Amino acid sequence: GAVVSQHPSRVICKSGTSVKIECRSLDFQATTMFWYRQFPKQSLMLMATSNEGSKATYEQGVEKDKFLINHASLTLSTLTVTSAHPEDSSFYICSASITKETQYFGPGTRLLVL
Amino acid sequence: GEDVEQSLFLSVREGDSSVINCTYTDSSSTYLYWYKQEPGAGLQLLTYIFSNMDMKQDQRLTVLLNKKDKHLSLRIADTQTGDSAIYFCAESRYSSASKIIFGSGTRLSIRP
């Protein structure tokens, strides 16, 4: 099946620093990628929809200046958490759209902000 | 509004069938999904069903959809220890370019 990778898988950073998370579709081109966050024992919440070559569409309540999304190519989208704070600690998962029926998810990135 | 609800926990004996239930509120839902998440991992798409279908079977998995009641279920036959995971019900409209709304997830545990 379709493979989506994320890098890094885990990251620990100090409060106030920025962290970049990469999402790649390895064997297909994805015009649309999605970024989710998942708090412990909770469901996934969509943060933003990323379309190649255009600005991301953010969900209500998600700060676009804090969570910068770049979708520069059909196989790569990046999420940068700027000036991270402990409350940004979470599991960030990306997905890529391959057909109109399905999204394939990456393995997730666990972010811990100290 | 959009809402997807599931029970939080299910415990079954190894070899029995597991049935995970889900209800949703959006009558415009086009696609309904079941995803599996193992500890510390991302989501694995198990199966999906179009809203104009009422059943889909794929090996040990059977999905039943009651569109009138907005009820979706996932049956896992002959449940194995490897089936232990969190199962998310989800729905979306139109296409995968639209957002997917996830349920809270059902944690399936298998007892010997």
Side-chain angles (χ1 to χ4, degrees):
Chain A
V3 178
V4 176
S5 71
Q6 283 184 240
H7 178 79
S9 57
R10 294 174 181 267
V11 56
I12 301 173
C13 69
K14 293 182 179 179
S15 186
T17 61
S18 294
V19 175
K20 180 185 282 188
I21 302 170
E22 293 185 348
C23 175
R24 292 182 186 274
S25 55
L26 296 184
D27 50 1
F28 65 99
Q29 293 184 328
T31 53
T32 305
M33 289 185 171
F34 303 84
W35 286 96
Y36 297 81
R37 66 187 298 182
Q38 184 182 29
F39 290 107
K41 298 185 179 180
Q42 294 188 27
S43 188
L44 280 73
M45 298 301 294
L46 180 67
M47 299 174 66
T49 302
S50 165
N51 290 295
E52 186 263 339
S54 62
K55 290 184 179 179
T57 302
Y58 290 81
E59 293 299 299
Q60 192 173 6
V62 178
E63 298 176 59
K64 62 180 181 180
D65 294 329
K66 180 168 184 61
F67 298 99
L68 301 179
I69 292 173
N70 183 277
H71 193 160
S73 76
L74 289 171
T75 59
L76 173 64
S77 177
T78 61
L79 167 69
T80 301
V81 183
T82 62
S83 186
H85 287 97
E87 58 265 30
D88 298 324
S89 298
S90 188
F91 194 49
Y92 292 87
I93 303 177
C94 73
S95 72
S97 165
I98 188 171
T99 68
K100 65 177 184 177
E101 296 87 16
T102 59
Q103 290 179 26
Y104 288 90
F105 286 77
T109 297
R110 190 164 299 283
L111 170 64
L112 177 61
V113 184
L114 302 177
Chain B
E2 305 156 330
D3 197 14
V4 179
E5 295 190 356
Q6 303 174 239
S7 54
L8 293 179
F9 300 100
L10 177 66
S11 175
V12 299
R13 196 165 51 187
E14 187 175 2
D16 286 353
S17 292
S18 306
V19 179
I20 304 172
N21 294 301
C22 168
T23 57
Y24 60 97
T25 58
D26 189 353
S27 58
S28 300
S29 297
T30 307
Y31 303 96
L32 295 135
Y33 309 87
W34 284 104
Y35 285 88
K36 177 182 180 182
Q37 185 180 36
E38 297 186 50
L43 271 70
Q44 173 193 355
L45 175 65
L46 287 178
T47 187
Y48 65 91
I49 189 169
F50 294 107
S51 58
N52 62 357
M53 298 167 63
D54 52 20
M55 185 180 109
K56 182 177 181 180
Q57 186 156 7
D58 183 4
Q59 299 182 332
R60 292 193 296 123
L61 305 178
T62 303
V63 178
L64 295 178
L65 174 61
N66 181 327
K67 194 174 181 181
K68 174 176 170 289
D69 294 338
K70 300 191 187 68
H71 181 268
L72 184 74
S73 68
L74 173 69
R75 179 177 180 270
I76 305 172
D78 187 25
T79 309
Q80 303 298 309
T81 54
D83 296 323
S84 293
I86 300 175
Y87 291 82
F88 289 95
C89 171
E91 60 93 9
S92 73
R93 294 191 208 177
Y94 315 129
S95 75
S96 60
S98 299
K99 63 182 181 181
I100 291 182
I101 305 298
F102 285 87
S104 55
T106 299
R107 184 178 297 273
L108 176 64
S109 63
I110 316 301
R111 57 184 191 272

